Amino acid sequence: MLSKDKKYRSSEVVVGMDKGGPRAHLKNMGVLPKEMEKPFIAIVNTYNEMHPGHFHLNELVKCIRDGVYAAGGIPFEFGTIAICDGFAQANKGMCYALPSREVVADSIEVMIEGHRYDGVVLVGGCDKTVPSLLMAAARMNLPAIIVTGGPMMPGRYEGKEFATFELKEAAGKVQRGLMSEEDFDEMESCLSPSPGSCAMMGTANSMSVVAEALGLTLPGCATALAIEGKKRRIAKESGYRIVELVNKGFNSSSILTYSAFENAMKVAMAVGGSTNCLLHIPAIANEVNIKITPEDFQRISSSTPYLAKIKPSGQQYTLKDLEDAGGVPAIMKELISLLDGTQQTVCGQTIGEIAVSAKNRNKDVVRSIETAHSQQGSLAILYGNLSPNGAAVKQTAVKPEMLCHQGAARVFNSENDAVAAISAGEINHGDVIVIKYEGPKGGPGMREMLTATSYLVGMGLDDVALITDGRFSGATRGPCIGHVSPEAASGGLIGLIEDGDQILIDIPGRKLELLVNEATITDRRGKFQNIPPKIDHGYLRRYVNVVSSADEGAILK
């Protein structure tokens, strides 16, 4: 029988006469009695065969297992779901993408707490998966390390490197007769040349950067390419390190302080991070009872220089270029005067120590504060009668001539309707497309509008703005304003906009206004009738009843 001296939490499962059943099960699976004295390490594997962001994760998990064994732990792998937003684009599947974040986090909690593991390594790489892994790590307050799957190699077509969003823009060019279907097919075949997350600063890579800046990955993890030996070494070292953290009594709460979240927001703003950071960072912070608001993002973005112009905000550099330049450590090196360098990380070094030892190998890709693309970061929060609780725009991806714009509203109740109108040539230069009933409740699930925004660029309508109570992919560029709060389904003013209304967008002035008099608004409100959610059954029916607004991170209450 196992010694009563086992010092780990997993002793609750295997120590004592009444635990003969679990010990028998473990023996049946090949675990030796003497191994049961060791720490039990969970490996959360979000592998699936549906998308490249997770297609390679089994290989990384093997490396993690080797590291756990080498350090004296016993690894136990289990899986959970992972949705690829790319497959869910412009269909009802997108209604499930953001809500899947909570399903993943909850499923991890249930397994970790139900089986009383001592520590956990969480492996994933796509838009909602990385935030959900971070939420779970924060919630459980155990030794935890994140291993992000890494970016894929950029696609190459006609001698140029490109990423996913550019293929969607090319679809608009085909419709305009500027590109043949044969050339489109060739470009399509070049798009996804390797496993990994899309080769741009979309949500997946933005949140991988956040994970590293928070201190929950080993240095260099966020941008290490999925196919690189470096990624496998980081995976193995993460397995080794988690056992050390368990033996030291480390808990994730010692890392996840308010200063750590400020560091993460600053690094995200410095690399042109996705507007979806505005949803996910507050949700992660909420797990440790820290409140992050749109005002925090506004304050930090306004005072954080924009150092790395990665696609889609820039036209030249991909995630591979950022990795070659030195990745997140290089960003932190240039940004260190604005960071809290005393913050601890899972590798045992502080943020400051990592930054000091880092190298910036390409100062065109990662600029200094003095030579920054701008002295403000990627996000701007807009307020006004249309968004009293805030709306978000990726200001670093907006052309200067569209930073201030006024135009006539073209109103749609779904992204699908808007895309149909764009494709049919029904949108005029200078219009402001309004897509409502796409928020957390109204969608349901707060769908992203990447197809609509890509079609606008592809159709040559880069002087058309788009506002929505839904959200945008991190791949979006242009004057696209999302997260309008409160949303239409909660009585927000966006639900009262009609075709032809004038809308004012002033990004430098942080304003978003519906230019309609109060008497007209009052009259419309009196006649207002909500429309039902697009999906009203199963999980999403329950989700609608408990999800908060976008400005609170769309968390479940």
Side-chain angles (χ1 to χ4, degrees):
M1 189 171 65
L2 196 64
S3 168
K4 293 182 180 179
D5 295 331
K6 179 171 179 171
K7 61 182 179 179
Y8 305 110
R9 188 174 84 148
S10 54
S11 65
E12 298 174 31
V13 177
V14 294
V15 172
M17 288 292 295
D18 59 334
K19 300 301 189 300
R23 290 194 299 272
H25 292 326
L26 289 170
K27 290 177 182 178
N28 176 49
M29 294 184 292
V31 178
L32 302 176
K34 61 184 177 181
E35 290 182 310
M36 295 184 204
E37 299 275 0
K38 299 178 179 181
F40 288 5
I41 306 299
I43 303 175
V44 181
N45 184 1
T46 57
Y47 162 85
N48 66 57
E49 295 183 340
M50 189 64 181
H51 52 91
H54 288 211
F55 190 71
H56 63 303
L57 296 186
N58 284 345
E59 181 182 4
L60 295 183
V61 167
K62 289 178 183 177
C63 297
I64 295 168
R65 294 175 71 92
D66 289 345
V68 171
Y69 274 125
I74 303 297
F76 295 92
E77 177 188 345
F78 66 86
T80 186
I81 65 169
I83 285 181
C84 171
D85 284 37
F87 282 88
Q89 290 289 345
N91 62 67
K92 284 189 176 181
M94 185 55 74
C95 292
Y96 290 89
L98 179 59
S100 75
R101 185 185 71 181
E102 272 60 31
V103 174
V104 175
D106 289 350
S107 69
I108 295 169
E109 175 196 354
V110 168
M111 279 293 290
I112 296 294
E113 298 297 353
H115 285 180
R116 314 307 291 160
Y117 295 104
D118 302 303
V120 56
V121 181
L122 306 105
V123 190
C126 285
D127 288 20
K128 307 304 169 296
T129 317
V130 176
S132 64
L133 301 183
L134 289 165
M135 289 169 65
R139 183 185 303 176
M140 292 179 297
N141 196 27
L142 287 174
I145 295 179
I146 309 294
V147 176
T148 53
M152 68 170 61
M153 291 290 290
R156 289 193 66 83
Y157 174 69
E158 294 186 341
K160 296 181 180 179
E161 294 185 340
F162 69 104
T164 312
F165 72 98
E166 290 165 289
L167 186 66
K168 289 184 176 292
E169 293 174 2
K173 293 179 180 178
V174 172
Q175 288 190 268
R176 295 167 62 199
L178 301 178
M179 186 178 195
S180 70
E181 290 189 20
E182 291 75 18
D183 287 343
F184 182 85
D185 287 343
E186 182 182 347
M187 185 179 182
E188 178 183 300
S189 298
C190 301
L191 172 69
S192 187
S194 77
S197 53
C198 297
M200 60 189 176
M201 195 56 71
T203 304
N205 290 314
S206 295
M207 291 308 300
S208 295
V209 167
V210 165
E212 185 171 336
L214 279 171
L216 285 176
T217 78
L218 296 186
C221 185
T223 60
L225 297 178
I227 63 171
E228 285 187 316
K230 176 182 176 181
K231 178 62 75 176
R232 292 187 285 276
R233 293 193 299 275
I234 287 173
K236 187 172 184 179
E237 180 63 30
S238 295
Y240 200 99
R241 181 63 180 160
I242 192 65
V243 178
E244 294 180 334
L245 293 178
V246 169
N247 287 326
K248 289 180 178 181
F250 163 91
N251 287 319
S252 56
S253 62
S254 63
I255 282 179
L256 295 177
T257 65
Y258 186 81
S259 289
F261 284 103
E262 282 201 326
N263 281 348
M265 286 188 280
K266 289 174 182 178
V267 173
M269 297 304 98
V271 298
S274 166
T275 53
N276 284 315
C277 292
L278 192 63
L279 287 174
H280 300 316
I281 291 177
I284 299 160
N286 179 68
E287 299 290 351
V288 288
N289 298 313
I290 292 174
K291 188 174 180 62
I292 302 292
T293 68
E295 287 79 8
D296 291 315
F297 278 93
Q298 183 66 78
R299 170 177 54 83
I300 286 172
S301 186
S302 295
S303 58
T304 302
Y306 180 29
L307 305 184
K309 202 168 191 176
I310 309 299
K311 290 186 178 212
S313 296
Q315 296 301 301
Q316 184 175 0
Y317 300 123
T318 66
L319 260 291
K320 182 180 184 300
D321 296 305
L322 180 56
E323 163 64 9
D324 291 344
V328 173
I331 295 289
M332 294 194 299
K333 184 179 188 68
E334 299 298 342
L335 206 61
I336 190 59
S337 63
L338 301 179
L339 301 177
D340 181 350
T342 67
Q343 287 297 302
Q344 295 293 323
T345 74
V346 292
C347 78
Q349 293 180 296
T350 64
I351 291 292
E353 289 168 338
I354 293 170
V356 166
S357 61
K359 294 180 180 179
N360 181 355
R361 298 184 177 90
N362 190 331
K363 293 204 172 185
D364 290 326
V365 176
V366 178
R367 295 190 178 188
S368 66
I369 289 177
E370 293 73 24
T371 61
H373 295 284
S374 73
Q375 291 304 311
Q376 293 190 1
S378 57
L379 297 188
I381 310 301
L382 311 185
Y383 294 95
N385 64 352
L386 259 181
S387 55
N389 295 340
V393 62
K394 194 171 184 177
Q395 62 179 348
T396 52
V398 181
K399 296 191 305 181
E401 57 267 32
M402 288 299 292
L403 289 170
C404 294
H405 180 73
Q406 181 176 325
R410 295 296 308 279
V411 184
F412 304 93
N413 286 342
S414 73
E415 184 199 20
N416 305 67
D417 293 342
V419 169
I422 296 167
S423 301
E426 297 172 1
I427 303 300
N428 300 315
H429 290 280
D431 282 348
V432 178
I433 295 175
V434 177
I435 306 178
K436 54 186 179 177
Y437 295 106
E438 290 286 11
K441 292 182 181 293
M446 202 177 182
R447 297 197 298 176
E448 66 180 33
M449 310 285 117
L450 178 58
T451 300
T453 57
S454 298
Y455 266 57
L456 284 175
V457 176
M459 296 291 284
L461 295 170
D462 56 359
D463 60 349
V464 170
L466 194 158
I467 70 170
T468 180
D469 50 9
R471 60 189 177 87
F472 293 112
S473 163
T476 297
R477 59 189 176 105
C480 302
I481 299 164
H483 301 223
V484 172
S485 300
E487 62 176 295
S490 296
L493 188 59
I494 188 173
L496 304 182
I497 302 174
E498 296 183 0
D499 279 340
D501 289 348
Q502 289 290 306
I503 294 176
L504 172 66
I505 299 167
D506 181 358
I507 295 173
R510 306 296 192 251
K511 292 181 181 179
L512 181 62
E513 296 279 348
L514 175 63
L515 303 181
V516 172
N517 63 60
E518 285 298 323
T520 301
I521 291 174
T522 300
D523 181 63
R524 290 180 187 177
R525 197 174 293 281
K527 300 174 182 177
F528 175 75
Q529 290 186 331
N530 222 336
I531 66 172
K534 300 171 186 67
I535 299 175
D536 189 26
H537 61 267
Y539 171 54
L540 291 185
R541 175 180 286 178
R542 300 195 301 274
Y543 180 86
V544 166
N545 291 331
V546 293
V547 68
S548 73
S549 63
D551 62 288
E552 295 180 312
I555 59 174
L556 303 188
K557 293 190 174 181

